[in-house]
Amino acid sequence: MTPDGLAALHARCFDRPRPWCAAEFAALLDSPRVFLLTRPSGFLMGRLVADEAELLTLAVDPAARRQGTGRALLRDFAATSCQGGAGRAFLEVAADNAAARALYCGEGWQDSGRRRRYYGPDLDAIVMTLALEPGQEGG
């Protein structure tokens, strides 16, 4: 996927918080620590720093949701992160995004904190973490 393609799909998935633009995706892809995982109708971007992995964003085309793409990408993320030496992963998710939070919980992620007003004056982020083990394919 190109930065333009990533931005177009991201825009179909997010309006709040705002979708990322092609330039933001291009800048992330230029980072040696960032990785992109793709599946038909979806993608996930992650970052490895020392022994931690961060899930930066996960987007699945709204027309293709509830077909296992998000779950598969999360499992790919866990495996890629383990292979990169991470022992723990974290993410931020909008507090009002019940569907994403349920998906993450179903894969073993746990709430570990809250960032007040992270996505704006009236939208908090829930910080979630996942313990990673070598050979892991997800929660």
Side-chain angles (χ1 to χ4, degrees), residues 3 15 34 48 59 61 68 91 112 128:
D15 58 5
V34 172
L48 290 167
D61 191 310
L91 61 81
S112 62
M128 300 184 81

Side-chain angles (χ1 to χ4, degrees), residues 40-91:
S41 304
F43 72 89
L44 182 151
M45 288 189 82
R47 175 174 27 220
L48 290 167
V49 178
D51 64 345
E52 287 190 334
E54 179 183 11
L55 193 160
L56 298 171
T57 192
L58 169 63
V60 175
D61 191 310
R65 289 186 180 158
R66 305 196 59 79
Q67 297 176 19
T69 301
R71 190 169 307 279
L73 285 165
L74 287 174
R75 291 178 180 176
D76 293 346
F77 170 80
T80 300
S81 298
C82 283
Q83 290 167 2
R88 183 174 86 113
F90 71 96
L91 61 81

Side-chain angles (χ1 to χ4, degrees), residues 2-111:
T2 66
D4 287 330
L6 295 169
L9 177 54
H10 209 253
R12 287 196 302 278
C13 297
F14 296 98
D15 58 5
R16 187 170 178 231
R18 72 162 179 80
W20 297 355
C21 70
E24 290 168 313
F25 280 109
L28 283 167
L29 291 170
D30 281 342
S31 171
R33 295 183 177 138
V34 172
F35 58 93
L36 173 66
L37 304 170
T38 62
R39 293 271 178 149
S41 304
F43 72 89
L44 182 151
M45 288 189 82
R47 175 174 27 220
L48 290 167
V49 178
D51 64 345
E52 287 190 334
E54 179 183 11
L55 193 160
L56 298 171
T57 192
L58 169 63
V60 175
D61 191 310
R65 289 186 180 158
R66 305 196 59 79
Q67 297 176 19
T69 301
R71 190 169 307 279
L73 285 165
L74 287 174
R75 291 178 180 176
D76 293 346
F77 170 80
T80 300
S81 298
C82 283
Q83 290 167 2
R88 183 174 86 113
F90 71 96
L91 61 81
E92 290 100 359
V93 61
D96 65 354
N97 191 339
R101 291 177 66 193
L103 173 65
Y104 298 136
C105 285
E107 286 300 304
W109 292 79
Q110 298 180 342
D111 290 4

